[in-house]
Amino acid sequence: MRMMKIAAALALTVGLALGTGGAVQAAPPGNGYDYTDPAQTGCSATGITIWSKELRHPATGAVNGVMELRYSTACETNWVRVNNYVNGAAAVKIIARPRVHAPTGGSLEYATDSTVDVYYGWSYGLQFYAPSWVCVDVGGMITLNGVVLGSNGQALDRVC
């Protein structure tokens, strides 16, 4: 399913670029994107949501936010973004790339990021190079004064 979404988004991106007469300029993908901001690198311009999950209060089940895993078709990167529905609460975004061996040789080393900010609405964390064949572990929480108001319900979700 993830590959179909990525292929469709890539086809749309290429079609839009060719149809407007301008070329989409993106840096070549690679580990150089690890621990970088997807907006500052331009990767967010081709970002698509490939997975999402509601952040529910552990006791009441109330939905206090949603987390998404984003994928850049041009940069081959992943990052987590959270929509925080609770004014004044902190949004926690967690992503980890396990150490993996590339199909063509070499390996991608383990990398992890946990970004926390007090922001009502959408916010995002740092990105990692993670081509479509790489699984990542993601998590998200909404907290206020140390109390969890919403979480993905487990430590991390693996998304492949």
Side-chain angles (χ1 to χ4, degrees):
M1 181 73 163
R2 177 179 174 174
M3 290 301 294
M4 290 183 345
K5 287 181 182 178
I6 292 168
L10 184 56
L12 177 63
T13 301
V14 170
L16 289 173
L18 295 176
T20 61
V24 173
Q25 296 296 319
N31 283 24
Y33 286 118
D34 286 355
Y35 299 101
T36 60
D37 183 313
Q40 289 179 354
T41 59
C43 296
S44 64
T46 62
I48 59 172
T49 299
I50 59 171
W51 180 88
S52 67
K53 191 171 191 178
E54 293 176 334
L55 300 176
R56 295 184 171 272
H57 189 283
T60 68
V63 177
N64 287 319
V66 66
M67 62 182 279
E68 296 180 341
L69 179 63
R70 304 281 292 169
Y71 179 78
S72 168
T73 57
C75 303
E76 297 184 306
T77 55
N78 284 122
W79 64 94
V80 173
R81 94 176 165 176
V82 167
N83 192 356
N84 178 4
Y85 302 162
V86 182
N87 197 16
V92 180
K93 295 151 293 276
I94 303 164
I95 186 167
R97 179 189 64 210
R99 185 173 191 264
V100 294
H101 294 285
T104 58
S107 68
L108 295 175
E109 295 299 318
Y110 177 80
T112 185
D113 175 60
S114 178
T115 301
V116 180
D117 51 31
V118 177
Y119 194 84
Y120 180 77
W122 289 105
S123 63
Y124 59 91
L126 299 179
Q127 68 183 342
F128 295 124
Y129 176 62
S132 59
W133 52 268
V134 174
C135 298
V136 292
D137 298 324
V138 297
M141 282 191 303
I142 306 294
T143 64
L144 183 62
N145 299 323
V147 176
V148 175
L149 300 180
S151 76
N152 57 307
Q154 57 192 33
L156 294 173
D157 286 296
R158 174 142 302 170
V159 181
C160 297

